[in-house]
Amino acid sequence: MVVADKYEMVCGLEVHVELQTKTKIFCGCTTEFGGEQNTHVCPVCLGMPGTLPVLNREVVNYAIKAGLALNCEIAEFSKFDRKNYFYPDLTKNYQTSQFDLPICGKGGLEIEVDGEKKWIGITRAHMEEDAGKLVHSGETITTSNESSVDYNRAGVPLLEIVSEPDLRSISEVLAYLEQLVQILEYTEVSDCRLEQGSVRFDVNVSLRPIGATTLGTRTETKNLNSFSSVRRCMEYEVARQARVLNAGESVVQETRTWDEGKGITLTLRSKEEAHDYRYFPEPDLAPLVIDREWVEKIRKTLPELPSARRVRLQALGLSAYDASVITQGKAMANFFDEALSYYGDAKTLANWVMGEVTRLINTNQSSMDDSPISAKQLAELLDLIDKGTISGKIAKSVLEEMYSTGKEAKLIVKEKGLSQISDEGALQGIIDGVISANSQSVEDYRAGKDRAIGFLVGQIMKATKGQANPGLVNQLLKEKLS
Amino acid sequence: MGTEKSVSELHELLVHKDLSSTELTRAYIERIHSVDPELQAYLTVLEDQALTQAAEVDYKIAQGEVVGALEGIPMALKDNMCTEGIRTSCASKMLENFVPPYNATVTDRLRAAGTILLGKLNMDEFAMGSSTENSYFAKTRNPWDLECVPGGSSGGSAVAVAADEAAFTLGSDTGGSIRQPAAFCGVVGMKPTYGAVSRFGLVAFASSLDQIGPLTKTVRDNALVMNAIAGYDPLDSTSVPSEKSDYTKFLVNNIKGLKIGIPREYFGEGIDPDVASVIQAGIQTLIDLGAEVGECSLPHTEYAIPAYYLIATAEASSNLARYDGVRYGYRAEAADVLGMFKTTRAEGFGQEVKRRIMLGTYALSSGYYDAYYLKAQKVRTLIKQDFEKAFEKFDVLLSPTAPTSAFKFGEKSANPLAMYLSDITTVPINLAGIPAISIPAGFVKGLPIGMQLMGKAFDEGTLYRTAYTFEQNTNYHTLKPNLSGEVLARGSR
Ligand SMILES: [Zn+2]
């Protein structure tokens, strides 16, 4: 991004992802979201005296899976470390995390912005435990008379994915984040419910004069939880840093926080007051040794990733745009793929999935996951159109009926008598009637006004409540009038 | 009645119905009432609970059921092992009123073995100290000389056994905290291999060094208690998956051909000459019994104390960070959260604990990490290698447990460094993670002297065999304090 033709933005991201295990990283407590305060806790995740962590192997499986999907090297030897700092939401006043030997090493993913492809490097991804949550009686911790702590989230497993500072524009950042979230969702490593805080973003931004090769001083803004906050925060921060530089001052290296309401970033702590985390190896957990068989076993469980899916869908005749819309969410992509196994015309199928099906889901404020229409049912409906049993227009109303009743297309067509009239004999009489009742249009048509035939077809469709086979009506009408 | 007897003797009396567990438990409670006001080994005594548990065992015996080796035997735990529903204070103001809702694994295992819990024992606050002078509640006295410390940090555990206030006890050993008080009080104390006994529920001091072990009147008792507490625990990732072994099968009175190494560094400067000659006599006894003894070297011994104090305090600074007044324990009043943290910790911790937290925080802080913590870890590796090398030639290594006999109250507490140096012979064992046992080996001026036997990792068996053979051919373990300093022979033996 070029700011006032003078600066180039450089951005790196740290993304915290809640892994979708059933239990916490070091104890057997549930990771379920919500619940009464402090009901999903035990002595271990509360860090009570004498308690010890026991690593949940599922967390390692998920971390390996995410690492493989992000093209990362999986370390054969990694370990946990303690990150020491005092905060009431931290039960032990240290966080068990990974420091110098993370489970996932170098990797990356490809993004596409304005038709241009670019590789964004991932530095590392490591496992750690989440902290609890402070609940204040007032606006902030300092203005509250009372603050309580909810430790339900303490010990929920996180994967922190750190990118290289390869991002040069807000569009690139958003493309990277969308890609990343998509991959995590596809691999079912995380439910990626941003609104529940299951994915959080830390944004590192710096500016440098165009053409410079060294990095400028960066700020880190922590804990953003939506793509729109990331975009707004970056717009603000880039403009702020540009203002500072334009005024001949230097950007202060610091940690900042995003005020969603005011739309500004604020200093959280400066470099001087930065934490000394006093990392050291967690003595309560043995180092983690991952043999290659373990990794290969997990590699076999990897689903087809969104990028590969897009390539496959385009090969089936879909446009790049359609392929990207279909693969945006895992639920839609899976629905499409399943329907495709029953119905071969990918293009028609894509139109229906992106069009009518999506529209119905959106108007009902539902989601693809709990669509009452199965992929197989949609395929059967499309088959009815192809066989000429119903018209496309009828099919749309049948689909609505399917959505609200859960009935099969065939049953609805039968019950409501919606079958298309393709019987020439039955149509002849209706056509004759329309011709004699609309002599003016007939004359117009014969006088060369082609549009008049549309009116006549419409009248015939109306007379048959839309059930007449439109192709046949056209053909028979033209024969009669010629 | 019976309180002076060993666990194995008491077991015989119980199964032959010559004594009931209730009678025995009452006898211990009476003993505690009569001697503990002076000794201060106990922080909590559980009269009612103990008698209820004893009645259950008596009922079982009356029904003709077979009872285990520890069933109905009254014992006590160091107050850093969690006991559900029973205060676990770590001898700290910080946890003065802390009642855990869970048991330590050792607590569960001893309960499952049918033992009777008499109470919780005094210690140095958070197990930091070598004299039990750092307890927030009381100073425990050495029954052999009330003017002397009992050693530490498991001072209460050693005294309770030595003064017949419990049939056996558990202590924890981070740098000698079982062995040194065992030596000072004339009892048997085992620091098992790191990972042999679960640490779950042991309030942590230094996680990579802490290990729970038994303090007993005899070597057999020690093996019996180890049978009950050792073994893999899924709640402790550092506990070692292993088959349950029966340590009593090593109790054979025969060490012919056993190779014993004498590390010369453990007999150097600072070792009291009287202590050295007691140990020399002990070595001669072992030679007479058929052992082959040779000198060996553990060249990195001189770096053990600084390395130990860096690693132990680094881990302690992190382990003790959770005591902040937010969730449990002592909380100071303050205007804001940070103030509450600071005041709670300032008021809740004693001097020695604060000293170590500061040392550990410093050792881990950026800029000093490489010079202190990392270097200490490297030394630790070298010390481990020293032992591995020595064990290529020897089955067991032997040394004094402590450089001196029990010292006087206040003698070293004004000089922390002098106090730290009293751990010189015990600390390297914790750094290496190997097992070591201290057994009574003689007296100097009426105070007991301990002999330390060190073994290969998970070779507690050879230590028990050696210790048992020594014990069967000497009488030091039969001598008892009479609480006025005079040494008396134990009646029944
Ligand atoms: Zn838990």
Side-chain angles (χ1 to χ4, degrees), chain A residues 47 49-50 82 84 91 93 276, chain B residues 102 201 318-319 321-322 324 327 366:
Chain A
R82 289 188 187 177
N84 294 282
T91 57
N93 285 318
D276 179 356
Chain B
Y102 46 90
S318 171
N319 282 333
R322 71 193 67 195
D324 57 10
R327 290 161 300 276
S366 65

Side-chain angles (χ1 to χ4, degrees), chain B residues 432-452:
Chain B
I434 59 174
I437 191 168
S438 176
I439 52 173
F443 289 84
V444 169
K445 297 189 187 93
L447 288 172
I449 301 301
M451 180 165 79
Q452 175 175 246

Side-chain angles (χ1 to χ4, degrees), chain A residues 24 27 29 41-42 45:
Chain A
K24 292 185 178 181
C27 67
C29 290
V41 293
C42 71
C45 57

